[in-house]
Amino acid sequence: MRPADLALVEGVEARAYDYPWSINIFRDCLRMGYECWVQLATEQVVGHCVLAMGPGEAHVLNLAIDPDWHNRGLGRALLERLLTRAEELGAESVFLEVRPSNAPAVHLYRATGFRRVGRRRDYYPAEDGREDALVLRYTLREVAPAGRR
């Protein structure tokens, strides 16, 4: 993802989510040096993702595919790219939050190997107030407990 892509990314985000990120959030992600990628199809931006790194872990902050391009494996391709990049950068685990009501995303994450590790109450805005988030983790490599090899 480059600054020149941001207007297209914002368009995909608006079509993909009822409560989309603003162009300024994506601009800040680029400025902060997060791993930001776009998914191209027929030479157009049809998806994007954002990954933040921390000590020993990564966090998927955003992953979206234009609804007109769903069910073509593009979300899975982006997710696999993020997992590969997180491992290259030394992460042991990758975390993300997802709306329980987003059944296609929950299915994708579970099919990829993410497992639920928690729930954040009232995390997302929703039409009738707030919606919880499922917290999911993907383990890239097991770490031995302290004192064990």
Side-chain angles (χ1 to χ4, degrees):
M1 185 183 301
R2 302 170 307 200
D5 298 322
L6 292 181
L8 298 171
V9 167
E10 182 184 39
V12 169
E13 181 80 359
R15 288 185 297 280
Y17 294 121
D18 291 334
Y19 301 93
W21 281 14
S22 71
I23 196 169
N24 288 330
I25 293 173
F26 288 105
R27 189 174 287 118
D28 287 345
C29 289
L30 287 173
R31 188 176 18 253
M32 293 298 297
Y34 294 162
E35 294 287 319
C36 301
W37 298 87
V38 293
Q39 177 67 52
L40 301 177
T42 63
E43 299 184 32
Q44 63 181 343
V45 173
V46 299
H48 55 267
C49 57
V50 177
L51 182 75
M53 293 297 301
E57 66 183 51
H59 197 117
V60 177
L61 300 178
N62 191 306
L63 192 151
I65 299 293
D66 188 305
D68 291 342
W69 289 86
H70 281 186
N71 300 313
R72 299 180 194 202
L74 299 174
R76 183 178 304 277
L78 269 179
L79 183 59
E80 289 173 1
R81 176 68 181 117
L82 288 179
L83 295 175
T84 298
R85 188 65 181 139
E87 189 167 29
E88 290 169 355
L89 294 171
E92 296 160 0
S93 296
V94 178
F95 293 88
L96 60 81
E97 290 87 15
V98 63
R99 290 175 185 267
S101 64
N102 188 346
V106 171
H107 175 76
L108 170 63
Y109 298 138
R110 287 191 172 148
T112 303
F114 279 83
R115 298 293 170 249
R116 182 178 165 180
V117 294
R119 184 178 203 96
R120 297 191 198 282
R121 298 275 175 219
D122 298 332
Y123 187 78
Y124 291 111
E127 188 174 314
D128 58 352
R130 306 289 298 176
E131 181 177 359
D132 292 352
L134 301 177
V135 180
L136 306 180
R137 180 181 72 208
Y138 182 92
T139 302
L140 292 164
R141 61 178 84 94
E142 293 293 330
V143 178
R148 298 175 76 187
R149 293 184 187 252

